[in-house]
Amino acid sequence: MTVKIYPNGLTVVVERNNALRSVTAGIMVGAGSVYETPENNGISHFIEHMQFKGTSTRSAADIVGAFDRAGAAYNAFTGKEYTCFYFKSIDEQVENCFELLGDLFCNSTFNAEELDRERKVIIEEINMSYDEPDGVCYDTLYRTAFRGGSLGMEILGSRENVSRFGKADILEYKKHNYLPSNTVVAFVGNITEDAAHALVEKHLKNLVSAPMTAPRVLQSQNFNGGYGEFVRDYEQSEISVAFPTFSIGDERAPIMSALDCILGNGMSSRLFQRLREKMGLVYSVYTSPWLGKTNGVFTVCANVNVSNTVPAVQAIRNEIDELVARGVTEEETEKAKMQLKVTALFGKENPMNYMLALMRRRVILGIDYDIDELISRINAITPEKINELARAIFKQDACFAYAGKKPPARIDEVYNG
């Protein structure tokens, strides 16, 4: 892997693999809902859509038609802390596809007719998001846990905001967030470092030549306890119990991943074995740790019939209490370590996953993703370290969320029983 950083902070990461006949390439910018305000919440996601809707030389149909003629897979997504645009093509088509990617990233015109058309599409996406209880529960949880902070805002934003966003709003947001110092370009596959850098300097020349502007600095946000509820006549209900943790750069991150494996990640995990296999209370139960630039959250989630809400929450509490009281075993620890190593190594063999890992590490932390260092840190995990972390996490006040039919009791009151 090679990394080149231009004087203005634009970073280019290249992982050459000439055993492949494809290239996966992407542009990730540190712009997501956490950088928004209540007034412009949803604009990062709105921009992601609009970047594909026409440039000074191509219409929206021209862009997707050219990608399709190259046989490429292409898309974009928005998260809380970044937005990513990417493609995967055979090696002989990489220049054609990267030229398209550079054009839509740098030269989108945000035509008024396209804006009006796309805002309708996004409003439909927002409407559809309310049809899935797990997504609704996730948004309710973060809105409750980080109330008053941007981490609590939804990535899609509100229908009201999306209905009024215009070109001026987009350009103002991009001016402060779509910066070279806040942008990482990555290539994984059958491409040389020189060829990758030549593509960047040819097709992202506006970024390469832009002046240096420091990216915005995020501040840690308060994690609040409490309870959020979204009552709707879903067939199944979703419950979440979340605890504050730490940022992605914390040295304990691999230990938390091991805790995740043992407690709720996979069919042999403690929660799955108790709630589904032994008690038959749920279809799915899992843990979902999230680590960001300034904050982290460890969440337990379960999909249940509303009639099983109370015993499911009680079982989750009992399993957490048992883990804290008795700790994890050596056997569980070794199994978790192997799972983490396999995930990391298999991830490197998947060009898309590996490219995203390279970009995320650079955008969020400004450092390289070093898989050998990660394996070394995984090997150093012990039961004692997992137990110490579990006690630290689960002694804190939790935040609770529920989405589904009216529950027989509030899940926070059941958990705290």
Side-chain angles (χ1 to χ4, degrees):
M1 181 182 69
T2 65
V3 179
K4 180 175 182 178
I5 303 176
Y6 288 86
N8 61 10
L10 176 67
T11 301
V12 180
V13 183
V14 184
E15 176 78 10
R16 184 181 184 185
N17 183 348
N18 55 14
L20 301 177
R21 288 302 308 273
S22 66
V23 177
T24 304
I27 305 173
M28 182 176 285
V29 58
S33 57
V34 74
Y35 292 98
E36 298 169 356
T37 66
E39 292 71 31
N40 70 5
N41 179 214
I43 198 164
S44 301
H45 176 254
F46 192 79
I47 292 171
E48 175 221 309
H49 277 241
M50 288 306 305
Q51 298 277 89
F52 284 86
K53 296 305 171 182
T55 69
S56 54
T57 58
R58 290 184 173 94
S59 68
D62 291 336
I63 292 171
V64 296
F67 272 126
D68 287 343
R69 282 192 299 276
Y74 56 96
N75 213 328
F77 63 87
T78 305
K80 286 188 175 293
E81 298 184 333
Y82 46 77
T83 303
C84 182
F85 306 83
Y86 63 88
F87 71 85
K88 181 179 182 179
S89 72
I90 59 174
D91 48 15
E92 67 184 60
Q93 288 291 332
V94 65
E95 175 150 19
N96 292 334
C97 291
F98 194 80
E99 192 270 329
L100 286 166
L101 192 70
D103 191 29
L104 68 88
F105 189 81
C106 295
N107 304 316
S108 292
T109 55
F110 310 113
N111 174 273
E113 290 184 4
E114 290 289 354
L115 282 166
D116 288 337
R117 200 165 14 242
E118 198 61 23
R119 75 174 80 253
K120 296 176 184 177
V121 173
I122 296 172
I123 288 172
E124 287 303 310
E125 185 178 359
I126 293 172
N127 292 338
M128 287 174 59
S129 72
Y130 287 99
D131 293 334
E132 298 292 338
D134 54 346
V136 171
C137 191
Y138 173 90
D139 287 336
T140 302
L141 177 70
Y142 275 77
R143 185 166 54 249
T144 305
F146 295 103
R147 53 188 177 272
S150 59
L151 272 171
M153 296 192 299
E154 297 173 15
I155 293 169
L156 298 183
S158 67
R159 286 178 286 244
E160 293 74 21
N161 281 359
V162 171
S163 295
R164 61 176 173 75
F165 286 148
K167 182 174 181 177
D169 301 300
I170 291 174
L171 295 180
E172 179 67 16
Y173 183 80
K174 290 192 71 175
K175 181 174 71 174
H176 296 289
N177 295 281
Y178 274 61
L179 308 170
S181 58
N182 206 26
T183 303
V184 175
V185 185
F187 299 83
V188 175
N190 190 27
I191 187 169
T192 67
E193 292 82 0
D194 289 344
H197 297 151
L199 288 177
V200 170
E201 290 168 14
K202 181 178 180 181
H203 300 301
L204 295 178
K205 53 182 176 291
N206 292 343
L207 272 182
V208 172
S209 62
M212 172 64 184
T213 304
R216 293 164 61 186
V217 177
L218 283 179
Q219 301 297 325
S220 180
Q221 300 184 29
N222 291 330
F223 180 98
N224 304 290
Y227 175 66
E229 185 177 271
F230 185 91
V231 176
R232 189 169 179 174
D233 192 22
Y234 295 120
E235 286 300 317
Q236 290 291 105
S237 300
E238 188 80 10
I239 58 179
S240 294
V241 183
F243 302 84
T245 58
F246 38 74
S247 68
I248 194 171
D250 194 288
E251 63 181 11
R252 295 170 293 173
I255 304 172
M256 191 172 76
S257 295
L259 174 62
D260 170 44
C261 289
I262 294 168
L263 183 59
N265 188 343
M267 290 189 289
S268 67
S269 67
R270 290 188 176 197
L271 285 169
F272 192 93
Q273 284 296 308
R274 178 187 284 240
L275 273 79
R276 175 164 164 160
E277 298 299 280
K278 295 179 181 177
M279 302 179 72
L281 290 173
V282 302
Y283 174 72
S284 68
V285 59
Y286 57 94
T287 47
S288 178
W290 175 83
L291 299 181
K293 184 175 287 191
T294 61
N295 290 78
V297 180
F298 190 96
T299 307
V300 178
C301 305
N303 182 261
V304 301
N305 184 284
V306 65
S307 62
N308 289 331
T309 300
V310 170
V313 173
Q314 291 171 335
I316 290 170
R317 176 63 190 263
N318 291 340
E319 197 60 56
I320 289 175
D321 286 349
E322 185 173 325
L323 188 149
V324 170
R326 299 185 181 181
V328 303
T329 66
E330 186 74 37
E331 181 181 356
E332 287 178 313
T333 301
E334 291 305 311
K335 182 178 69 174
K337 289 162 66 173
M338 182 56 68
Q339 289 176 319
L340 295 177
K341 286 190 283 189
V342 168
T343 298
L345 294 171
F346 280 7
K348 187 172 183 180
E349 294 176 0
N350 182 310
M352 182 65 70
N353 289 348
Y354 191 53
M355 181 193 71
L356 294 175
L358 294 174
M359 291 195 292
R360 279 195 295 261
R361 200 77 175 169
R362 269 283 162 186
V363 165
I364 295 176
L365 292 176
I367 62 176
D368 294 333
Y369 175 70
D370 187 332
I371 197 165
D372 293 324
E373 179 192 6
L374 176 59
I375 297 298
S376 176
R377 293 170 68 189
I378 291 170
N379 285 333
I381 295 172
T382 64
E384 291 74 22
K385 291 178 180 180
I386 298 174
N387 293 335
E388 180 182 4
L389 180 61
R391 289 192 295 268
I393 290 174
F394 297 130
K395 74 177 182 181
Q396 302 172 101
D397 290 338
C399 183
F400 303 84
Y402 172 87
K405 296 176 182 176
K406 188 67 178 177
R410 283 177 41 149
I411 67 168
D412 59 329
E413 294 174 352
V414 174
Y415 186 91
N416 292 320

